[in-house]
Amino acid sequence: MEAHNNKELKQGDWIKGKTRNDEWVHGYIESVEPYHPLVRLKVLFSDNTEFVGRTIRIEKKDIEKQAPLTNFSEAELLNFIDLALSTRDQQWFMELTSKLKRKQNKWSLPKKESSL
């Protein structure tokens, strides 16, 4: 993985990487620890299912910054909403429900007014 310095990584950045035990993780940074080679990562996807939904500490040298994932299906958004609820992440829950409402409104047909 590519090493990053503190100036490049910030809270909310999406990253992927490998743990010391070679487990794949993907999620977003909850916090960057100054003067320390670790970040706190909220894991959304992993080959170790015990990590999903949890916050772990991972070394900066073992992660790679990613472009944020944005184009989710309704089913994926619903799964993320469940995850936000189970992790009690109110801000993420609000963002996800807003995206879901926009997606649902985009696909709904405009109502016709009856002409009497």
Side-chain angles (χ1 to χ4, degrees):
M1 295 286 148
E2 188 177 316
H4 294 281
N5 64 34
N6 284 345
K7 292 180 184 176
E8 292 179 26
L9 294 173
K10 63 185 181 309
Q11 183 179 3
D13 283 346
W14 286 87
I15 62 167
K16 70 175 181 179
K18 293 261 185 177
T19 66
R20 275 187 254 159
N21 296 328
D22 205 34
E23 297 156 318
W24 174 81
V25 289
H26 189 199
Y28 62 91
I29 296 176
E30 283 193 335
S31 66
V32 178
E33 298 186 20
Y35 313 110
H36 206 276
L38 298 173
V39 297
R40 292 175 50 86
L41 170 68
K42 176 68 106 186
V43 179
L44 300 181
F45 306 102
S46 177
D47 54 359
N48 180 343
T49 56
E50 291 181 18
F51 286 160
V52 176
R54 294 182 52 206
T55 299
I56 64 169
R57 290 171 52 175
I58 188 168
E59 292 191 42
K60 293 174 188 173
K61 69 177 183 63
D62 295 330
I63 61 175
E64 216 176 273
K65 192 172 177 179
Q66 300 290 293
L69 302 173
T70 56
N71 193 18
F72 297 112
S73 69
E74 279 189 47
E76 290 169 322
L77 285 170
L78 289 168
N79 286 334
F80 285 139
I81 288 169
D82 286 344
L83 183 57
L85 287 169
S86 67
T87 58
R88 299 178 184 203
D89 190 331
Q90 183 178 4
Q91 180 181 355
W92 192 35
F93 172 81
M94 298 305 289
E95 291 172 18
L96 291 167
T97 54
S98 175
K99 286 181 183 181
L100 179 62
K101 285 178 186 176
R102 283 194 307 271
K103 185 173 277 293
Q104 289 172 336
N105 287 337
K106 178 180 175 182
W107 295 112
S108 62
L109 296 173
K111 295 180 181 176
K112 291 184 178 181
E113 293 183 28
S114 60
S115 55
L116 293 177

